[in-house]
Amino acid sequence: MASRLLTRPLSTASSLRNAAAAAAAGDKAGMGVGGIRMGLDAIHRVETPTPPFLTLPKTVAVIGAPMTYGQPFAGADLGPKALRDKDLHSACAKLGWRVAEQGDLSFDPPKRDDPEFKGPGMCKLSHVVGSGNKKVYEKVRENAQKGRFVLTIGGDHSIGLGTVAGILSVRPNTGLIWIDAHADINTPLISPSGNMHGMPVAFLMGLVDAKTVPGCEWLANVPKLKPEQISYVGLRDIDFGERELLKKLKIQAFTMYHVDKYGIGKVMEMILDRQNGRPLHASYDIDACDPVIAPSTGTRVRGGLSYREAHYVAESIAETGMLGSVDMVEVNPQLTESETSNNENDETVDLGLALVADLLGNRML
């Protein structure tokens, strides 16, 4: 995808020196490359409506879900620590939220004698991923029942199984906005890889018989997600079987083609019109963003959301005053294009924190 940022060349050596000096000064003042404010320096509290189903004073429950077994790359479990180390709590407080830190959930590693999925199809490490998501489900439900905003930081996107199930058990009519390069609606039968981070939506919709999948039996009694309750944005890597399901179920799905065609403002307007009146849950996979701005993630796909598009998605959802829960997933500090630089780690984690802040009410003005 062509860049949407128009630039003009600096014409003199003096201009280049001045630009470099300005960038260096910006870094020292809490600003990122090119003088973009980063971290706490970029957070500005603006009063946004508090959803009617949340209690006052408004409180955000922060749940760490360091799940890494839903996909093949090590490091996704480091996401919660990376975001907290960037001063997540201070960012929440600066935006007027009380913080109820829940700590990191503990997930058992795979064992040789774990029950295995018998088919048809593939569902790798289902016992570990499913059992771990039961813990996520219980912790999310517990905090949602207390009227808290629930922020779950992953971890791979298989945790969406537990987070959304927990919210549906408290608010069954919740609208789910799935922000991702991938649809994650594979079933074991159609999945090319068998990795469970590509399956949570299928399980949530009841497209898989959870009773037949070791570790996922608990899902059988959770309210099912209906097709009209889900909207996608940012899609650009969709498996063949997923395409068929999206069309068959008439699910609202906006790919990057639609973002190019209509603009992100119109896309989000159509999504929020469809979900109007529902409590909202935003499940934000950092790989929805273009790898140029979010390189430290496991399944990078070129042509994603630009820096401002990514922020606008988050800002527009928060602006509804109906957002009650968020996932931020697939931030993997161990994965970079360069083995020798930490800059890409910081860039991706900084973006993850900034998007969370937007979802909690951060605004430019």
Side-chain angles (χ1 to χ4, degrees), residues 156-221:
D156 67 54
H157 215 166
S158 69
I159 69 164
L161 187 60
T163 60
V164 178
I167 293 298
L168 289 174
S169 70
V170 179
R171 299 189 285 272
N173 65 327
T174 292
L176 172 61
I177 302 178
W178 198 268
I179 309 147
D180 202 326
H182 312 88
D184 295 345
I185 196 172
N186 274 307
T187 67
L189 184 60
I190 66 174
S191 172
S193 69
N195 295 323
M196 286 194 71
H197 74 156
M199 301 183 188
V201 177
F203 274 88
L204 290 165
M205 296 186 73
L207 304 179
V208 183
D209 183 356
K211 293 180 180 178
T212 68
V213 183
C216 297
E217 298 87 353
W218 58 273
L219 263 172
N221 297 319

Side-chain angles (χ1 to χ4, degrees), residues 31-309:
M31 300 171 76
V33 176
I36 297 174
R37 294 183 184 275
M38 304 295 288
L40 294 180
D41 197 48
I43 292 175
H44 309 282
R45 179 177 176 179
V46 176
E47 291 302 328
T48 54
T50 301
F53 47 83
L54 298 185
T55 57
L56 297 177
K58 61 181 187 179
T59 302
V60 55
V62 179
I63 302 170
M67 173 61 70
T68 190
Y69 302 117
Q71 48 81 57
F73 298 104
D77 53 327
L78 302 178
K81 182 180 186 301
L83 284 165
R84 288 194 185 97
D85 286 351
K86 285 288 184 178
D87 230 352
L88 172 64
H89 289 180
S90 295
C92 296
K94 192 173 180 181
L95 290 166
W97 292 88
R98 294 165 60 93
V99 179
E101 175 58 64
Q102 305 297 299
D104 282 357
L105 298 171
S106 177
F107 302 129
D108 295 328
K111 301 180 181 66
R112 293 185 183 276
D113 59 352
D114 284 344
E116 296 183 0
F117 178 64
K118 302 298 184 183
M122 295 184 293
C123 199
K124 296 177 181 176
L125 301 177
S126 70
H127 178 72
V128 174
V129 176
S131 299
N133 266 286
K134 184 179 181 183
K135 295 181 179 181
V136 177
Y137 159 74
E138 291 169 345
K139 183 60 72 172
V140 169
R141 181 181 62 179
E142 171 193 332
N143 283 279
Q145 286 173 334
K146 293 178 180 178
R148 293 170 172 169
F149 187 106
V150 183
L151 169 62
T152 309
I153 45 179
D156 67 54
H157 215 166
S158 69
I159 69 164
L161 187 60
T163 60
V164 178
I167 293 298
L168 289 174
S169 70
V170 179
R171 299 189 285 272
N173 65 327
T174 292
L176 172 61
I177 302 178
W178 198 268
I179 309 147
D180 202 326
H182 312 88
D184 295 345
I185 196 172
N186 274 307
T187 67
L189 184 60
I190 66 174
S191 172
S193 69
N195 295 323
M196 286 194 71
H197 74 156
M199 301 183 188
V201 177
F203 274 88
L204 290 165
M205 296 186 73
L207 304 179
V208 183
D209 183 356
K211 293 180 180 178
T212 68
V213 183
C216 297
E217 298 87 353
W218 58 273
L219 263 172
N221 297 319
V222 174
K224 299 297 182 287
L225 186 71
K226 299 173 183 175
E228 61 269 24
Q229 286 178 260
I230 181 169
S231 299
Y232 286 99
V233 61
L235 296 177
R236 57 193 183 278
D237 185 10
I238 310 169
D239 294 323
F240 176 80
E242 292 181 306
R243 289 191 187 96
E244 297 303 306
L245 282 174
L246 292 174
K247 292 176 182 177
K248 177 182 177 182
L249 298 173
K250 298 180 180 178
I251 292 173
Q252 187 181 52
F254 291 102
T255 68
M256 290 306 300
Y257 165 81
H258 299 104
V259 173
D260 288 338
K261 181 176 181 179
Y262 300 114
I264 195 62
K266 183 61 177 179
V267 165
M268 292 309 299
E269 180 183 329
M270 289 187 280
I271 287 174
L272 296 173
D273 280 350
R274 183 181 178 95
Q275 301 299 343
N276 186 38
R278 297 183 185 274
L280 296 177
H281 177 99
S283 196
Y284 211 130
D285 189 323
I286 202 73
D287 75 21
C289 305
D290 194 274
V292 170
I293 62 169
S296 296
T297 188
T299 46
R300 295 185 289 264
V301 186
R302 290 189 299 176
L305 296 173
S306 70
Y307 186 83
R308 271 306 310 153
E309 287 168 346

